[in-house]
Each structure stands twice: as C-alpha cells, then as structure tokens.
Amino acid sequence: MRFALLVFLGLLVAPAAPRAQAVDKERAYQACMRLAEEAPDEAFEEALAWQTRNGGWAAEHCAAVALIGLGQHGEAAIRLEALASRVERKEIRLATEILAQAGQAWQLAGEMVRAVASQSAALELDPRNIELLIDRGISLAAARNYWEAIDDLNRAADLDPARAEILILRASAYKMVDAVDLARADIGRAMALEPRNLEGLLERGILRRLDGDDAGAREDWLEVVTLAPDSAAAKAARANLEKLDVKVE
C-alpha cells in the first residue's frame, strides 16, 4: 500500500521532466543543425534565440556551423575552437568533431596554418581518426608542406589501404616533390579501385601530360567532363584541356 502510494506521488519514479527536456533539446539540436545546412541565415537567428533560452553548447555549435554556411569561415572557426575547449573534458568525441569542423572552416578561410593547428589538436584526442589525417594532409599540402602531408596520408593509408581518395591525394603530393614514380603507383592503385573517380581521372591526366602522353591526358580529362560536367573537377579538367590545346609558336 505504501509502495503504491509513493509511486503515485512520484517519490519512487524518476522525474519525467529532465528526461523530456533532454529529448526536446536533442530534437532542437538536430533540427537546428539541419537548418544550418539548408538555410544558414535562419539557423543562425534561431541559434541566437535558443542561446537566450539556455540552449547551451548545442545552440553555440549550431550558430558556428551556420556561420560556415554564411561564408564567415574565420569567425566560425574561432567559435568552434572556443567551444571545443569547453566540452573537451566532458565529451572527447564531441570535442574532436568540433575541432575537425574548425579545421575545415580555417581551410575555407584559406588559413592553412590555423587549420593544421585545429586538426592537430583533434588528432591528439583521436590519433587514429582517418578523416582528420586526410584533412590535415590536405591542409599541409595547401601550405606546401608536402612531405608532412605525405606522412599523414601514409598513416591514413595504413589504416585503410583500399581507400582510393587517400591514394589520389598522396599521388598529388608525391607529384609536387618530384616523386613521380610513386605518384604513378598510387594513382594506378586508386583507379583500379575506383575507375570513374573524378579526382583520380583528373590527377592521372596530369601525370600522363607530364609523361608527354597528351592523348591519354585528353582522354582522362574529357571523361571527367562527361561524367560530371558541373563539378569542380570538370572545371579543372576544362582548364587543363585549354592549356593542352594552346599552340606554341
């Protein structure tokens, strides 16, 4: 009788409100992050309003991601780094993800040194994260630190030897340090894995052009344009085709 009464009074039942609030916050977070991709201006305003209603780190995260969509990459990166430093002790996985986003934001801002710093901080938390190794490799290559980029891509390839993207990126880095034989080997393996990979076709065309195989280069670049005419790879392929067609007098 006492047990039933205590249950009725809620004294032996976990309070419903905190759980309901947690579920509502998670739903609001997911909705805000979706909106940040689809309509970043609206998401930013909603995130700011949510912060005034005690939205906490979730509202801050959404606002920062929305800023990326709005093209304010540097400001977004600064906010993401600050947020990661606050959540790190509570949730390492979340901090890693936020730092990775900060690194990508710095990349978009053209600040490769700062991108590497964010990505290095994330890798300290998760040293075997393949995506982070790839991202830092891209940042290092963009900063012309090609051998360091190759080191990161080597580590990524050790973790996932059959991932064509890693091999293509490493081939590009090898090309920049005149290790053309290694670049050819990587691009050959990558194209065996993914024969229609746009970046792979683009890079193989460049290597063929360097070898004097203009016909092979043209074939690869035309295939890129045919497969995805509106892609960034197709834009680069067209630029290369124009250079190939320039007659030197």
Side-chain angles (χ1 to χ4, degrees):
M1 179 69 177
R2 179 178 294 172
F3 181 83
L5 179 60
L6 292 173
V7 170
F8 177 75
L9 294 173
L11 298 177
L12 293 180
V13 180
R19 173 59 183 161
Q21 289 171 0
V23 171
D24 288 345
K25 187 172 183 178
E26 177 62 24
R27 287 175 179 166
Y29 178 45
Q30 292 175 359
C32 191
M33 294 298 277
R34 284 195 299 271
L35 191 62
E37 294 184 7
E38 299 166 3
D41 52 345
E42 294 179 30
F44 185 69
E45 294 301 324
E46 286 200 14
L48 292 182
W50 189 19
Q51 282 182 275
T52 66
R53 302 192 303 272
N54 198 29
W57 67 263
E60 292 180 55
H61 191 196
C62 184
V65 172
L67 284 173
I68 295 176
L70 292 169
Q72 299 184 38
H73 305 127
E75 176 63 23
I78 290 170
R79 292 186 182 216
L80 288 165
E81 288 177 337
L83 178 58
S85 68
R86 293 201 300 277
V87 303
E88 179 178 333
R89 292 183 181 179
K90 299 177 183 177
E91 181 56 72
I92 290 178
R93 183 176 178 181
L94 177 62
T96 303
E97 178 183 340
I98 293 171
L99 283 167
Q101 290 173 331
Q104 291 167 352
W106 283 129
Q107 284 179 335
L108 291 168
E111 297 277 358
M112 297 306 165
V113 173
R114 299 184 79 163
V116 169
S118 288
Q119 290 153 353
S120 297
L123 281 164
E124 287 181 10
L125 300 175
D126 188 2
R128 294 173 61 82
N129 188 308
I130 294 175
E131 302 306 322
L132 278 167
L133 288 167
I134 293 172
D135 279 354
R136 191 171 69 174
I138 292 170
S139 297
L140 287 164
R144 300 186 179 184
N145 295 321
Y146 300 115
W147 285 113
E148 291 179 50
I150 289 166
D151 287 341
D152 273 353
L153 295 168
N154 284 342
R155 290 168 62 192
D158 288 342
L159 293 168
D160 191 352
R163 184 161 169 178
E165 176 190 13
I166 299 170
L167 297 171
I168 294 164
L169 288 169
R170 191 170 64 179
S172 181
Y174 275 140
K175 175 190 67 189
M176 299 306 294
V177 295
D178 295 326
V180 181
D181 287 344
L182 293 173
R184 289 194 201 97
D186 269 353
I187 209 68
R189 289 169 56 203
M191 298 313 293
L193 291 166
E194 294 184 16
R196 292 161 67 89
N197 186 294
L198 298 180
E199 286 72 23
L201 287 165
L202 182 64
E203 188 63 35
R204 188 174 67 182
I206 294 170
L207 290 170
R208 285 177 166 175
R209 179 73 175 97
L210 289 174
D211 289 339
D213 181 6
D214 289 359
R218 184 185 300 278
E219 180 182 344
D220 281 339
W221 295 333
L222 287 173
E223 187 171 359
V224 172
V225 174
T226 301
L227 289 172
D230 297 326
S231 66
K235 182 178 179 180
R238 289 190 186 95
N240 284 325
L241 285 165
E242 289 176 6
K243 292 177 182 178
L244 190 63
D245 290 335
V246 170
K247 302 297 183 182
V248 179
E249 297 181 359

